[in-house]
Amino acid sequence: MDTTMDHQDLEEELAHLLSTEPQAPPTPDSMDRQAPRIDRRRTRPKPQFLSIYQRITQVTALFAAIAVCAACLLVWSIAYTYGQLSETAGSVLPTNLAQWWPLTLYGPWSVAALSILRAAVQRQPAKRSWGVLLVTSAMAVALCVSHSSHSVLAFVTLGIPPITSLVCFWELVGQFSSKQRTRRRGRVQQPSKV
């Protein structure tokens, strides 16, 4: 009976010891690993405004440079073609009238060009204005080439300036439309603040 009692007491005591076994005291290394460090320094926000501002400034400067180059070349090619058309008209018309005759081509050309620019800014189609621009440019090429000597070099030399004015204007309009697209993309890509 004593052995049974002792055996039961030992089992109870063992169960009691196992259930309430104290854990080993933590070592200083484990305390350092468990307790996260709290950084009390304030983090400064990164200057995102400056980087966005610099990128916008660079893109705007690039747009402006392309637009200025296209406008300068456009003015030069129109002035050159204007002189050629005046000479062509001078062979048929009096000198006073021949000076102003190229305006019959470049008047509609200018009005169509302004209409296309307005349509590009307002994001509207301008098919009719592009048609007028193409027809007047083709007429300018035909008239400049018709009065030249019949060599390939003369055709190229006198035919390229009206085509150049058309291409430069096309690039100028492209700058307006691409700037509008860039602004729209920038508005869409801005994250919503919650």
Side-chain angles (χ1 to χ4, degrees), residues 183-194:
R183 285 182 186 164
R184 271 188 277 153
R185 283 185 196 148
R187 288 181 198 145
V188 170
Q189 290 177 355
Q190 285 178 352
S192 59
K193 295 180 181 177
V194 179

Side-chain angles (χ1 to χ4, degrees), residues 22-101:
Q23 294 182 1
T27 62
D29 290 339
S30 64
M31 285 177 55
D32 286 342
R33 283 187 218 135
Q34 289 175 356
R37 290 187 179 186
I38 299 172
D39 191 11
R40 302 248 183 232
R41 292 179 290 171
R42 288 188 179 180
T43 57
R44 293 183 181 176
K46 294 181 181 178
Q48 293 177 352
F49 175 74
L50 291 177
S51 64
I52 292 171
Y53 177 73
Q54 287 174 345
R55 188 172 56 190
I56 289 173
T57 303
Q58 290 170 350
V59 169
T60 304
L62 189 59
F63 277 132
I66 292 170
V68 166
C69 288
C72 289
L73 198 53
L74 174 69
V75 168
W76 174 83
S77 59
I78 288 175
Y80 182 79
T81 306
Y82 193 91
Q84 289 296 324
L85 292 173
S86 292
E87 286 180 24
T88 303
S91 65
V92 179
L93 297 172
T95 309
N96 295 350
L97 252 130
Q99 284 181 326
W100 299 103
W101 186 85

Side-chain angles (χ1 to χ4, degrees), residues 117-125 177 180-181 183-184 187:
L117 285 175
R118 177 196 55 81
V121 169
Q122 294 178 345
R123 293 182 226 129
Q124 296 175 347
S177 9
Q180 295 292 333
R181 275 188 244 122
R183 285 182 186 164
R184 271 188 277 153
R187 288 181 198 145

